[in-house]
Amino acid sequence: MCGQVLGVGVHAALLSVLTVGLAAVVRRSAGTVTALFGLLFLLPMALDVLPGAETAVDLLPAGASEALLLDGNGSYGWQAGLALMALWALASLTVAARVLRRRDV
């Protein structure tokens, strides 16, 4: 029980960091919400209809969230889900830092 609560908290924190990175890149609240919705829901559904795209869907933030929150999603366990979510969050912050340096000098 305690591990699940901790997992939800870590997931919320990493998803928030991902959102902050997206917000810095997009610079508009509506655009940020749309991009996050597309990344979490629309892109996995669009890729799901393609044959053999299950692995790609599992590597997106939605698949990593599923693995982290549900103790694995069939492809990998919660540890890999945590690592993937951390990589997505780090990637969004890295892109945001690069974009902010070029745009807001």
Side-chain angles (χ1 to χ4, degrees):
M1 178 69 172
C2 184
Q4 290 175 335
V5 172
L6 183 63
V8 169
V10 169
H11 175 262
L14 289 173
L15 197 58
S16 298
V17 171
L18 174 70
T19 305
V20 166
L22 270 174
V25 171
V26 176
R27 292 181 81 175
R28 302 275 186 252
S29 59
T32 301
V33 170
T34 303
L36 188 65
F37 184 78
L39 185 63
L40 291 177
F41 300 112
L42 297 179
L43 187 59
M45 284 194 312
L47 288 177
D48 209 23
V49 299
L50 298 175
E54 293 85 17
T55 304
V57 171
D58 286 342
L59 294 176
L60 290 173
S65 296
E66 180 183 346
L68 181 59
L69 295 175
L70 300 178
D71 249 358
N73 65 354
S75 297
Y76 46 84
W78 68 269
Q79 297 93 341
L82 176 64
L84 269 174
M85 280 301 292
L87 282 174
W88 275 101
L90 180 66
S92 74
L93 286 181
T94 303
V95 170
R98 178 172 263 170
V99 167
L100 285 175
R101 256 189 234 127
R102 292 185 78 207
R103 184 177 54 203
D104 298 336
V105 176

